[in-house]
Amino acid sequence: MNVHSGELFCTDVGMLNMQRLNLKGSVALAALALMAACSKEEAPPPPPTPTVGVVTVAQEAVTLTTELPGRIAAVETSEVRPQVSGVIRRRLFTEGAMVRSGQVLYEIEDAPYRAALGTAQGQLGAAQSQINATRLQAQRYGQLVALNAVSKQEADNATASAQQARANVAAQRAAVESARVNLNFTRIKAPISGRIGRSIFTAGALVQTGQTDALATIQRTDTVYVDVTQSAAQLLDLKAAMASGGVTRGDGTARVQLILPNGQTYPIEGRLQFAEVTVDPATGAVTLRASFPNPNGLLLPGMYVRAKLVEGIRSQAIMAPQEGITRDPRGKATAMVVTAQNKVEQRNVVTDRVIGDKWIVTSGLKPGDKLIVEGLLNLRPGTTVKPAAPQQVGKAGGKDAAGNAAAGGAASTQAGK
Protein backbone atom coordinates (compact mmCIF):
# COMPACT_ATOMS: atom_id res chain seq x y z
CA MET A 1 0.00 0.00 0.00
CA ASN A 2 1.52 3.21 -1.13
CA VAL A 3 1.47 6.50 0.67
CA HIS A 4 -1.16 7.97 -1.61
CA SER A 5 -3.52 5.18 -0.94
CA GLY A 6 -3.02 5.60 2.81
CA GLU A 7 -3.80 9.27 2.67
CA LEU A 8 -6.94 8.60 0.66
CA PHE A 9 -8.07 6.04 3.20
CA CYS A 10 -7.60 8.45 6.09
CA THR A 11 -9.51 11.13 4.23
CA ASP A 12 -12.43 8.82 3.68
CA VAL A 13 -12.48 7.81 7.31
CA GLY A 14 -12.45 11.41 8.42
CA MET A 15 -15.30 12.33 6.15
CA LEU A 16 -17.31 9.36 7.44
CA ASN A 17 -16.79 10.50 11.00
CA MET A 18 -17.89 14.02 10.12
CA GLN A 19 -21.06 12.69 8.52
CA ARG A 20 -21.77 10.65 11.62
CA LEU A 21 -21.32 13.70 13.80
CA ASN A 22 -23.56 15.79 11.57
CA LEU A 23 -26.20 13.06 11.69
CA LYS A 24 -26.08 12.93 15.49
CA GLY A 25 -26.34 16.74 15.69
CA SER A 26 -29.35 16.76 13.38
CA VAL A 27 -31.04 14.09 15.46
CA ALA A 28 -30.38 16.06 18.64
CA LEU A 29 -31.68 19.26 17.12
CA ALA A 30 -34.77 17.46 15.88
CA ALA A 31 -35.35 16.00 19.35
CA LEU A 32 -34.98 19.42 20.96
CA ALA A 33 -37.38 20.94 18.46
CA LEU A 34 -39.86 18.14 19.09
CA MET A 35 -39.60 18.64 22.86
CA ALA A 36 -40.09 22.38 22.48
CA ALA A 37 -43.16 21.82 20.34
CA CYS A 38 -44.62 19.40 22.89
CA SER A 39 -43.88 21.84 25.68
CA LYS A 40 -45.72 24.57 23.85
CA GLU A 41 -48.73 22.35 23.25
CA GLU A 42 -48.97 21.10 26.88
CA ALA A 43 -48.60 24.53 28.64
CA PRO A 44 -52.04 25.58 30.09
CA PRO A 45 -53.47 28.93 28.99
CA PRO A 46 -53.56 31.76 31.58
CA PRO A 47 -56.76 31.69 33.72
CA PRO A 48 -59.43 34.23 32.78
CA THR A 49 -60.20 37.11 35.13
CA PRO A 50 -63.13 36.05 37.35
CA THR A 51 -66.32 38.06 37.14
CA VAL A 52 -68.08 39.00 40.38
CA GLY A 53 -71.42 40.62 41.07
CA VAL A 54 -71.16 43.82 43.09
CA VAL A 55 -73.49 46.46 44.50
CA THR A 56 -72.43 49.97 45.45
CA VAL A 57 -73.04 50.78 49.11
CA ALA A 58 -74.96 53.99 49.85
CA GLN A 59 -76.51 55.73 52.87
CA GLU A 60 -80.28 55.89 53.27
CA ALA A 61 -83.01 56.33 55.87
CA VAL A 62 -84.47 53.16 57.36
CA THR A 63 -87.09 52.46 59.99
CA LEU A 64 -85.80 50.45 62.93
CA THR A 65 -88.16 47.76 64.19
CA THR A 66 -87.89 45.08 66.84
CA GLU A 67 -90.22 42.09 66.95
CA LEU A 68 -90.98 40.87 70.46
CA PRO A 69 -93.34 38.18 71.80
CA GLY A 70 -96.13 39.20 74.16
CA ARG A 71 -99.60 38.50 75.50
CA ILE A 72 -102.75 40.57 75.57
CA ALA A 73 -104.19 41.70 78.90
CA ALA A 74 -107.44 43.52 79.62
CA VAL A 75 -107.27 47.12 80.82
CA GLU A 76 -109.59 46.27 83.75
CA THR A 77 -110.42 42.87 85.21
CA SER A 78 -112.85 42.23 88.06
CA GLU A 79 -113.89 38.97 89.68
CA VAL A 80 -117.50 38.90 90.86
CA ARG A 81 -117.60 37.51 94.41
CA PRO A 82 -120.35 37.25 97.04
CA GLN A 83 -120.21 39.59 100.02
CA VAL A 84 -122.72 37.54 102.05
CA SER A 85 -123.45 33.84 102.29
CA GLY A 86 -126.60 32.28 100.92
CA VAL A 87 -128.27 30.37 98.12
CA ILE A 88 -128.38 31.89 94.65
CA ARG A 89 -131.97 32.52 93.68
CA ARG A 90 -131.53 33.92 90.16
CA ARG A 91 -128.88 34.77 87.58
CA LEU A 92 -129.76 37.98 85.76
CA PHE A 93 -127.21 38.21 82.90
CA THR A 94 -126.31 36.44 79.68
CA GLU A 95 -122.90 34.81 79.60
CA GLY A 96 -120.50 36.56 77.23
CA ALA A 97 -122.61 39.73 77.06
CA MET A 98 -121.62 43.28 77.86
CA VAL A 99 -122.60 44.46 81.34
CA ARG A 100 -122.44 47.91 82.85
CA SER A 101 -121.23 49.00 86.25
CA GLY A 102 -123.96 48.62 88.92
CA GLN A 103 -126.02 46.11 86.93
CA VAL A 104 -127.52 43.33 89.08
CA LEU A 105 -125.97 39.99 88.14
CA TYR A 106 -127.17 37.56 90.86
CA GLU A 107 -129.84 37.50 93.54
CA ILE A 108 -129.21 35.63 96.78
CA GLU A 109 -132.10 34.44 98.95
CA ASP A 110 -132.70 37.51 101.17
CA ALA A 111 -135.30 36.29 103.73
CA PRO A 112 -132.76 35.82 106.57
CA TYR A 113 -131.30 39.27 105.92
CA ARG A 114 -134.72 40.92 105.87
CA ALA A 115 -135.44 39.34 109.22
CA ALA A 116 -132.12 40.55 110.59
CA LEU A 117 -132.91 44.07 109.41
CA GLY A 118 -136.32 43.95 111.14
CA THR A 119 -134.74 42.79 114.39
CA ALA A 120 -132.19 45.59 114.27
CA GLN A 121 -134.89 48.16 113.62
CA GLY A 122 -136.93 46.89 116.61
CA GLN A 123 -133.93 47.08 118.91
CA LEU A 124 -133.31 50.62 117.68
CA GLY A 125 -136.89 51.59 118.59
CA ALA A 126 -136.52 50.14 122.09
CA ALA A 127 -133.26 52.01 122.60
CA GLN A 128 -134.84 55.27 121.45
CA SER A 129 -137.72 54.84 123.93
CA GLN A 130 -135.22 54.62 126.79
CA ILE A 131 -133.68 57.93 125.90
CA ASN A 132 -136.63 60.07 127.01
CA ALA A 133 -137.10 58.22 130.34
CA THR A 134 -133.45 58.43 131.33
CA ARG A 135 -133.16 62.03 130.16
CA LEU A 136 -136.18 63.15 132.24
CA GLN A 137 -134.98 61.20 135.26
CA ALA A 138 -131.57 62.87 135.05
CA GLN A 139 -133.21 66.31 134.88
CA ARG A 140 -135.37 65.62 137.96
CA TYR A 141 -132.46 64.29 139.98
CA GLY A 142 -130.52 67.39 139.06
CA GLN A 143 -133.23 69.58 140.57
CA LEU A 144 -133.58 67.41 143.67
CA VAL A 145 -129.90 67.31 144.43
CA ALA A 146 -129.95 71.10 144.71
CA LEU A 147 -132.60 70.75 147.47
CA ASN A 148 -130.65 67.92 149.10
CA ALA A 149 -133.65 65.65 148.44
CA VAL A 150 -131.44 63.00 146.82
CA SER A 151 -127.80 62.26 147.12
CA LYS A 152 -125.30 63.45 144.56
CA GLN A 153 -124.43 59.81 143.75
CA GLU A 154 -127.98 59.11 142.69
CA ALA A 155 -128.00 62.21 140.50
CA ASP A 156 -124.73 61.10 138.85
CA ASN A 157 -126.14 57.62 138.20
CA ALA A 158 -129.22 59.11 136.54
CA THR A 159 -127.00 61.24 134.29
CA ALA A 160 -124.87 58.19 133.35
CA SER A 161 -128.00 56.18 132.50
CA ALA A 162 -129.14 58.94 130.16
CA GLN A 163 -125.75 58.94 128.38
CA GLN A 164 -125.77 55.17 128.11
CA ALA A 165 -129.21 55.24 126.52
CA ARG A 166 -127.98 57.67 123.88
CA ALA A 167 -124.93 55.48 123.15
CA ASN A 168 -127.21 52.45 122.86
CA VAL A 169 -129.32 54.25 120.29
CA ALA A 170 -126.20 55.02 118.22
CA ALA A 171 -125.15 51.37 118.38
CA GLN A 172 -128.58 50.18 117.30
CA ARG A 173 -128.57 52.60 114.39
CA ALA A 174 -125.25 51.10 113.25
CA ALA A 175 -126.74 47.62 113.56
CA VAL A 176 -129.67 48.66 111.39
CA GLU A 177 -127.30 50.08 108.78
CA SER A 178 -125.21 46.88 108.83
CA ALA A 179 -128.33 44.76 108.36
CA ARG A 180 -129.43 46.99 105.48
CA VAL A 181 -126.00 46.68 103.81
CA ASN A 182 -126.09 42.90 104.08
CA LEU A 183 -129.57 42.91 102.60
CA ASN A 184 -128.31 44.98 99.67
CA PHE A 185 -125.43 42.55 99.21
CA THR A 186 -127.96 39.85 98.37
CA ARG A 187 -128.21 41.62 95.00
CA ILE A 188 -124.73 41.08 93.53
CA LYS A 189 -123.88 43.92 91.13
CA ALA A 190 -121.22 44.39 88.45
CA PRO A 191 -118.27 46.40 89.84
CA ILE A 192 -117.07 47.54 86.39
CA SER A 193 -118.39 47.75 82.84
CA GLY A 194 -117.15 45.19 80.36
CA ARG A 195 -117.72 41.75 78.90
CA ILE A 196 -118.66 39.07 81.41
CA GLY A 197 -117.54 35.48 81.03
CA ARG A 198 -119.24 32.24 81.95
CA SER A 199 -120.99 31.79 85.27
CA ILE A 200 -119.24 29.30 87.53
CA PHE A 201 -122.30 28.94 89.82
CA THR A 202 -125.92 28.42 88.86
CA ALA A 203 -129.24 29.09 90.58
CA GLY A 204 -129.62 26.97 93.72
CA ALA A 205 -125.90 26.89 94.47
CA LEU A 206 -124.69 27.86 97.93
CA VAL A 207 -122.12 30.66 97.96
CA GLN A 208 -120.14 31.94 100.92
CA THR A 209 -118.20 35.01 101.86
CA GLY A 210 -114.47 34.63 101.15
CA GLN A 211 -114.83 31.58 98.92
CA THR A 212 -111.97 30.73 96.55
CA ASP A 213 -113.89 30.61 93.27
CA ALA A 214 -115.37 33.74 91.76
CA LEU A 215 -118.93 33.66 90.48
CA ALA A 216 -117.87 35.20 87.13
CA THR A 217 -115.20 37.49 85.67
CA ILE A 218 -115.72 40.83 83.93
CA GLN A 219 -113.08 42.24 81.61
CA ARG A 220 -112.98 45.62 79.97
CA THR A 221 -111.57 45.10 76.47
CA ASP A 222 -112.41 48.25 74.50
CA THR A 223 -108.71 48.97 75.01
CA VAL A 224 -106.17 46.24 75.73
CA TYR A 225 -102.58 46.06 76.92
CA VAL A 226 -99.79 44.06 75.29
CA ASP A 227 -96.92 43.23 77.65
CA VAL A 228 -93.61 42.36 75.96
CA THR A 229 -90.02 42.00 77.15
CA GLN A 230 -86.92 43.54 75.61
CA SER A 231 -83.25 43.03 76.41
CA ALA A 232 -81.84 45.73 78.64
CA ALA A 233 -78.79 45.94 76.36
CA GLN A 234 -80.97 46.68 73.33
CA LEU A 235 -82.84 49.34 75.28
CA LEU A 236 -79.57 51.03 76.27
CA ASP A 237 -78.31 50.94 72.66
CA LEU A 238 -81.54 52.55 71.46
CA LYS A 239 -81.32 55.33 74.05
CA ALA A 240 -77.68 55.98 73.14
CA ALA A 241 -78.54 56.16 69.43
CA MET A 242 -81.38 58.61 70.15
CA ALA A 243 -79.12 60.75 72.33
CA SER A 244 -76.50 60.96 69.56
CA GLY A 245 -79.08 61.87 66.94
CA GLY A 246 -78.56 58.73 64.88
CA VAL A 247 -82.13 57.60 65.59
CA THR A 248 -85.11 59.96 65.75
CA ARG A 249 -88.80 59.63 66.56
CA GLY A 250 -91.29 61.80 64.77
CA ASP A 251 -93.78 62.40 67.60
CA GLY A 252 -91.57 61.32 70.49
CA THR A 253 -93.50 58.07 71.11
CA ALA A 254 -92.81 54.59 69.83
CA ARG A 255 -95.40 53.08 67.52
CA VAL A 256 -96.25 49.40 67.86
CA GLN A 257 -97.67 47.06 65.23
CA LEU A 258 -99.33 43.80 66.20
CA ILE A 259 -99.01 40.47 64.40
CA LEU A 260 -101.90 38.13 65.25
CA PRO A 261 -101.55 34.35 65.79
CA ASN A 262 -102.76 33.69 62.23
CA GLY A 263 -99.95 35.83 60.80
CA GLN A 264 -102.12 38.81 59.88
CA THR A 265 -101.26 42.34 60.97
CA TYR A 266 -103.72 44.09 63.27
CA PRO A 267 -105.05 47.11 61.35
CA ILE A 268 -104.76 49.62 64.24
CA GLU A 269 -101.40 50.76 65.55
CA GLY A 270 -100.74 50.96 69.26
CA ARG A 271 -98.59 53.20 71.43
CA LEU A 272 -95.90 52.30 73.90
CA GLN A 273 -97.14 53.29 77.36
CA PHE A 274 -94.11 52.75 79.58
CA ALA A 275 -91.07 50.59 80.29
CA GLU A 276 -90.66 48.87 83.63
CA VAL A 277 -88.40 50.76 86.04
CA THR A 278 -86.47 47.62 87.02
CA VAL A 279 -84.66 44.87 85.10
CA ASP A 280 -85.59 41.26 85.74
CA PRO A 281 -82.44 39.79 87.38
CA ALA A 282 -83.25 36.31 86.06
CA THR A 283 -83.56 37.24 82.37
CA GLY A 284 -81.89 40.64 82.09
CA ALA A 285 -84.97 41.96 80.27
CA VAL A 286 -87.26 44.93 80.75
CA THR A 287 -91.05 44.70 80.47
CA LEU A 288 -92.67 47.08 78.00
CA ARG A 289 -96.41 47.79 77.91
CA ALA A 290 -98.26 49.00 74.82
CA SER A 291 -101.95 49.85 74.50
CA PHE A 292 -104.17 49.07 71.51
CA PRO A 293 -107.73 50.20 70.73
CA ASN A 294 -110.02 47.18 70.41
CA PRO A 295 -113.36 48.50 69.15
CA ASN A 296 -114.43 45.23 67.52
CA GLY A 297 -113.30 42.94 70.33
CA LEU A 298 -110.86 41.12 68.04
CA LEU A 299 -108.08 41.11 70.63
CA LEU A 300 -108.84 38.73 73.49
CA PRO A 301 -107.08 38.67 76.86
CA GLY A 302 -104.48 35.92 77.07
CA MET A 303 -103.92 35.81 73.29
CA TYR A 304 -100.29 35.23 72.26
CA VAL A 305 -99.12 37.83 69.73
CA ARG A 306 -95.94 39.33 68.31
CA ALA A 307 -95.44 43.05 68.74
CA LYS A 308 -93.35 44.89 66.16
CA LEU A 309 -91.94 47.89 67.97
CA VAL A 310 -91.18 50.81 65.63
CA GLU A 311 -88.27 52.30 67.56
CA GLY A 312 -87.38 55.19 65.27
CA ILE A 313 -85.77 56.23 61.99
CA ARG A 314 -82.03 56.01 61.32
CA SER A 315 -81.37 58.69 58.75
CA GLN A 316 -77.93 57.56 57.51
CA ALA A 317 -77.83 53.79 57.57
CA ILE A 318 -75.61 51.62 55.40
CA MET A 319 -77.52 48.59 54.12
CA ALA A 320 -75.67 45.53 52.83
CA PRO A 321 -77.33 42.49 51.20
CA GLN A 322 -77.02 39.37 53.31
CA GLU A 323 -75.29 37.61 50.40
CA GLY A 324 -72.33 39.96 50.81
CA ILE A 325 -71.78 39.37 54.55
CA THR A 326 -69.99 36.17 55.61
CA ARG A 327 -68.46 34.84 58.81
CA ASP A 328 -64.86 33.85 59.43
CA PRO A 329 -63.91 30.78 61.53
CA ARG A 330 -64.07 32.92 64.68
CA GLY A 331 -67.61 34.03 63.87
CA LYS A 332 -66.77 37.64 63.00
CA ALA A 333 -68.61 39.29 60.13
CA THR A 334 -66.53 39.97 57.00
CA ALA A 335 -67.17 41.46 53.58
CA MET A 336 -65.33 41.39 50.24
CA VAL A 337 -65.09 44.67 48.32
CA VAL A 338 -63.56 45.59 44.96
CA THR A 339 -60.97 48.39 45.07
CA ALA A 340 -60.38 51.03 42.41
CA GLN A 341 -57.70 48.74 40.91
CA ASN A 342 -60.25 45.88 40.63
CA LYS A 343 -58.52 44.01 43.43
CA VAL A 344 -60.39 42.04 46.09
CA GLU A 345 -60.09 43.45 49.62
CA GLN A 346 -61.44 41.78 52.75
CA ARG A 347 -63.06 43.98 55.41
CA ASN A 348 -64.08 43.24 58.99
CA VAL A 349 -67.54 44.72 59.52
CA VAL A 350 -69.93 45.23 62.44
CA THR A 351 -73.62 44.49 61.84
CA ASP A 352 -76.55 45.74 63.87
CA ARG A 353 -79.71 43.94 62.73
CA VAL A 354 -81.47 42.49 59.71
CA ILE A 355 -84.15 44.52 57.96
CA GLY A 356 -85.80 42.56 55.17
CA ASP A 357 -82.99 40.75 53.33
CA LYS A 358 -80.24 43.22 54.28
CA TRP A 359 -77.93 43.92 57.19
CA ILE A 360 -77.49 47.32 58.78
CA VAL A 361 -73.70 47.79 58.84
CA THR A 362 -72.41 50.19 61.47
CA SER A 363 -68.67 49.78 60.82
CA GLY A 364 -66.35 48.48 58.09
CA LEU A 365 -68.16 49.81 55.01
CA LYS A 366 -68.55 53.33 53.71
CA PRO A 367 -70.66 54.90 50.96
CA GLY A 368 -69.29 54.13 47.51
CA ASP A 369 -67.73 50.76 48.39
CA LYS A 370 -68.36 48.02 45.82
CA LEU A 371 -69.57 45.05 47.84
CA ILE A 372 -69.22 41.61 46.26
CA VAL A 373 -72.47 39.66 46.55
CA GLU A 374 -71.92 36.97 43.89
CA GLY A 375 -68.89 34.90 42.93
CA LEU A 376 -67.46 34.69 46.45
CA LEU A 377 -66.62 30.97 46.18
CA ASN A 378 -62.83 30.39 46.31
CA LEU A 379 -62.23 34.16 46.08
CA ARG A 380 -59.07 35.37 47.81
CA PRO A 381 -57.97 38.86 48.86
CA GLY A 382 -55.71 40.46 46.27
CA THR A 383 -57.28 38.65 43.33
CA THR A 384 -57.94 40.73 40.23
CA VAL A 385 -61.62 40.53 39.31
CA LYS A 386 -64.03 41.97 36.81
CA PRO A 387 -67.00 43.67 38.58
CA ALA A 388 -70.42 43.34 37.00
CA ALA A 389 -74.07 43.71 37.88
CA PRO A 390 -75.30 40.88 40.12
CA GLN A 391 -77.75 38.50 38.53
CA GLN A 392 -79.84 37.40 41.48
CA VAL A 393 -79.66 40.58 43.59
CA GLY A 394 -80.37 42.68 40.53
CA LYS A 395 -83.47 40.65 39.77
CA ALA A 396 -84.69 40.75 43.38
CA GLY A 397 -84.15 44.45 43.83
CA GLY A 398 -85.25 45.50 40.36
CA LYS A 399 -82.14 47.70 39.91
CA ASP A 400 -80.24 48.81 36.82
CA ALA A 401 -77.33 46.98 35.26
CA ALA A 402 -74.76 49.02 37.17
CA GLY A 403 -76.13 47.80 40.47
CA ASN A 404 -75.53 51.13 42.15
CA ALA A 405 -78.74 51.16 44.18
CA ALA A 406 -79.22 47.47 44.78
CA ALA A 407 -78.47 47.79 48.49
CA GLY A 408 -81.46 49.93 49.31
CA GLY A 409 -84.51 47.97 48.19
CA ALA A 410 -85.78 46.43 51.39
CA ALA A 411 -84.70 49.33 53.56
CA SER A 412 -86.69 51.77 51.48
CA THR A 413 -89.69 49.51 51.82
CA GLN A 414 -89.26 49.49 55.58
CA ALA A 415 -88.82 53.24 55.71
CA GLY A 416 -91.99 53.76 53.78
CA LYS A 417 -94.10 51.85 56.24
Side-chain angles (χ1 to χ4, degrees), residues 295-337:
N296 299 325
L298 183 62
L299 303 179
L300 303 177
M303 181 184 292
Y304 176 81
V305 293
R306 287 178 293 154
K308 185 180 291 184
L309 179 63
V310 183
E311 298 177 341
I313 298 176
R314 180 170 291 177
S315 57
Q316 296 180 342
I318 294 179
M319 304 293 292
Q322 294 187 32
E323 295 85 352
I325 305 298
T326 57
R327 300 282 175 177
D328 62 12
R330 291 178 294 178
K332 294 184 178 180
T334 61
M336 295 287 192
V337 298

Side-chain angles (χ1 to χ4, degrees), residues 26-305:
S26 299
V27 172
L29 290 173
L32 290 174
L34 181 61
M35 291 176 62
C38 292
S39 300
K40 291 181 180 179
E41 292 179 358
E42 294 179 358
T49 302
T51 302
V52 295
V54 300
V55 295
T56 302
V57 176
Q59 288 182 337
E60 56 188 279
V62 295
T63 301
L64 302 182
T65 60
T66 300
E67 192 169 303
L68 304 170
R71 288 194 180 275
I72 294 176
V75 173
E76 292 181 347
T77 300
S78 176
E79 294 182 340
V80 181
R81 295 181 178 275
Q83 300 297 311
V84 293
S85 300
V87 176
I88 295 178
R89 186 167 58 187
R90 286 192 303 170
R91 189 192 73 189
L92 303 175
F93 67 92
T94 302
E95 294 175 322
M98 294 294 297
V99 297
R100 63 186 181 278
S101 177
Q103 178 179 338
V104 179
L105 304 177
Y106 296 91
E107 284 185 356
I108 295 178
E109 184 59 48
D110 60 355
Y113 298 97
R114 290 185 181 278
L117 177 60
T119 301
Q121 289 174 339
Q123 292 175 349
L124 174 60
Q128 289 175 338
S129 65
Q130 293 294 323
I131 287 183
N132 291 332
T134 55
R135 178 175 58 82
L136 294 175
Q137 185 179 14
Q139 290 177 356
R140 286 195 298 269
Y141 273 49
Q143 296 172 356
L144 293 176
V145 75
L147 302 175
N148 292 325
V150 294
S151 65
K152 185 173 178 53
Q153 181 63 45
E154 291 176 334
D156 292 340
N157 290 341
T159 302
S161 297
Q163 293 176 348
Q164 185 177 2
R166 288 194 294 270
N168 190 27
V169 168
Q172 294 303 323
R173 284 195 179 121
V176 170
E177 184 62 25
S178 176
R180 184 175 288 111
V181 168
N182 288 336
L183 179 61
N184 290 334
F185 279 156
T186 60
R187 296 167 58 85
I188 302 176
K189 300 177 181 179
I192 63 173
S193 298
R195 188 175 298 277
I196 192 168
R198 63 190 180 96
S199 177
I200 306 300
F201 294 82
T202 62
L206 174 64
V207 294
Q208 296 178 340
T209 305
Q211 65 182 30
T212 304
D213 297 328
L215 303 181
T217 301
I218 303 173
Q219 294 178 323
R220 178 188 158 199
T221 57
D222 55 344
T223 300
V224 296
Y225 290 138
V226 177
D227 294 330
V228 298
T229 56
Q230 184 181 33
S231 168
Q234 293 178 350
L235 191 61
L236 291 175
D237 291 341
L238 175 61
K239 290 183 177 180
M242 293 179 62
S244 63
V247 177
T248 59
R249 287 178 179 172
D251 55 357
T253 60
R255 296 179 290 119
V256 185
Q257 297 173 344
L258 209 59
I259 302 176
L260 301 177
N262 59 0
Q264 296 181 357
T265 301
Y266 188 63
I268 305 176
E269 281 190 349
R271 287 291 182 271
L272 185 65
Q273 295 294 320
F274 74 96
E276 187 60 77
V277 295
T278 57
V279 178
D280 188 344
T283 61
V286 180
T287 300
L288 308 178
R289 168 165 284 186
S291 63
F292 283 83
N294 189 29
N296 299 325
L298 183 62
L299 303 179
L300 303 177
M303 181 184 292
Y304 176 81
V305 293

